[in-house]
Amino acid sequence: MTVITEEDPYLLFQEVCELTRTPPGTMRNLRTAGEGPPFFKQGRWLKCRKSKALAWMREQEEKANT
């Protein structure tokens, strides 16, 4: 069972864009291509765990440095 904590909250799509400093249009394109952070839909909201968004950013950094 996954426990939600303040350290690893769910972020809305716009919050992930702000956290990663990625324009919403770019994030939408990445999501459509299956290359962005792992969002899921809850009602009409797209959400992602903060830890997963940060892990995705680390992966992007590693890819850029290889």
Side-chain angles (χ1 to χ4, degrees):
M1 183 168 110
T2 304
V3 178
I4 302 168
T5 65
E6 288 185 27
E7 294 83 32
D8 193 17
Y10 289 111
L11 301 177
L12 298 175
F13 179 84
Q14 185 62 37
E15 293 171 319
V16 173
C17 292
E18 291 168 9
L19 177 69
T20 62
R21 293 186 171 200
T22 304
T26 300
M27 188 63 76
R28 275 191 283 283
N29 291 340
L30 288 167
R31 181 175 174 269
T32 300
E35 298 175 8
F39 286 97
F40 68 95
K41 196 161 185 174
Q42 185 179 32
R44 63 182 187 156
W45 304 104
L46 284 174
K47 296 182 179 183
C48 178
R49 287 253 189 200
K50 183 177 181 179
S51 62
K52 293 192 183 236
L54 293 173
W56 175 78
M57 282 297 294
R58 281 190 294 278
E59 290 172 13
Q60 300 313 300
E61 181 182 11
E62 290 171 8
K63 286 179 187 177
N65 291 327
T66 58

